[in-house]
Amino acid sequence: MRKAIYCLAAAGTLGLSAALPATALADSSAGTGYQASLNPVPTNHVTGSGSATVSLSGDQATVTVDTTGLLAGVPHAMHIHVDGMGTCPTAAAATDLNGHTAISTSDGHPAYGMIGTSLTTSGDTSPNSGLAVDRFPTGSSFHYQRTLTVTDDVAGNIRDGKAVIVVHGIDYDGSGKFTNVLGASDLDPKLPQTATAPALCGALHAMPAGGAATGSGATQHRPDNAVLIAGGSFLLVAAGAGTWVLRRRPPTGADRP
């Protein structure tokens, strides 16, 4: 009987110690998650909203962006901006654009930085594709997800909390299309300013502990801490109960002096 009880206690202790390294291994093998709330850029007459998540593992980033309320029927360039202050521009950044107060992409550069990664739907994702209008999501509401390779600089900015997601393209005059109301774009004079001006902006921050990182269309599962703790507690209780029984059991003939 005594050997059986000692085996139960030992099994409980070993079971708990074995569970903890497994959890640590599961956490270390998953990408680190970051998220951003995409809010309207002030003065640019935007009523939309959105959200973004990034799961970063080494130089591989799975980026998910969801938007609603943007200008319909047109492409919306979007990027991960880096090497700025890691923030979104305030109304104080607005300048006079063709007689109107608004924020151009260049006006926002001090806050969110330059293009680090172009969130295209296919092909190149470097800053060279920053205005590849034929390879960006289209419509007022869209769901974007793509796993892509980022540079060390972009990955570092994401980890340091200095990366910003920016979605471009605004309907400044409520006409339902990109017009020249704000003049020519400061990025490409062949495009209207409304096509490239920032619409939604959000700084990426690390998800709270236990936050679900986004995968390539699949859900990534982590061990449930509550279940782990409960299981560990049960094992400890079992071990403690075995010791109590051993102490309380009346002595048998084999146990007597």
Side-chain angles (χ1 to χ4, degrees):
M1 178 63 178
R2 176 175 294 182
K3 289 183 178 180
I5 293 172
Y6 277 137
C7 287
L8 175 62
T13 303
L14 291 174
L16 179 59
S17 62
L20 294 177
T23 303
L25 179 62
D27 285 346
S28 64
S29 64
T32 303
Y34 302 84
Q35 61 187 1
S37 294
L38 303 180
N39 299 310
V41 173
T43 76
N44 281 9
H45 299 185
V46 178
T47 58
S49 62
S51 62
T53 61
V54 175
S55 177
L56 182 65
S57 179
D59 64 354
Q60 297 298 296
T62 297
V63 183
T64 302
V65 179
D66 290 284
T67 70
T68 186
L70 297 176
L71 178 58
V74 297
H76 290 279
M78 57 183 186
H79 319 94
I80 301 176
H81 285 255
V82 297
D83 297 332
M85 295 186 293
T87 62
C88 293
T90 65
T95 58
D96 183 284
L97 300 177
N98 202 35
H100 300 276
T101 300
I103 296 176
S104 69
T105 298
S106 297
D107 293 331
H109 282 161
Y112 49 63
M114 306 299 288
I115 295 174
T117 301
S118 299
L119 300 179
T120 55
T121 55
S122 63
D124 178 60
T125 60
S126 75
N128 293 332
S129 293
L131 293 179
V133 293
D134 59 329
R135 291 188 289 116
F136 284 111
T138 299
S140 62
S141 302
F142 59 80
H143 172 76
Y144 169 92
Q145 185 175 76
R146 185 179 180 187
T147 298
L148 38 83
T149 301
V150 297
T151 65
D152 290 343
D153 183 46
V154 171
N157 271 260
I158 293 174
R159 294 189 180 99
D160 292 342
K162 296 185 66 178
V164 180
I165 301 286
V166 181
V167 181
H168 301 262
I170 65 175
D171 184 11
Y172 188 87
D173 57 0
S175 63
K177 58 184 179 180
F178 292 150
T179 67
N180 288 315
V181 63
L182 299 179
S185 169
D186 52 328
L187 303 182
D188 184 348
K190 296 178 181 178
L191 298 173
Q193 183 71 252
T194 52
T196 61
L200 301 176
C201 179
L204 286 167
H205 297 290
M207 290 183 178
T214 304
S216 302
T219 302
Q220 297 183 4
H221 296 285
R222 291 173 179 252
D224 190 322
N225 290 337
V227 173
L228 177 62
I229 293 171
S233 299
F234 171 80
L235 293 173
L236 289 174
V237 169
T243 303
W244 183 85
V245 170
L246 179 62
R247 291 176 177 174
R248 296 291 298 172
R249 184 172 58 82
T252 63
D255 295 328
R256 293 190 183 99

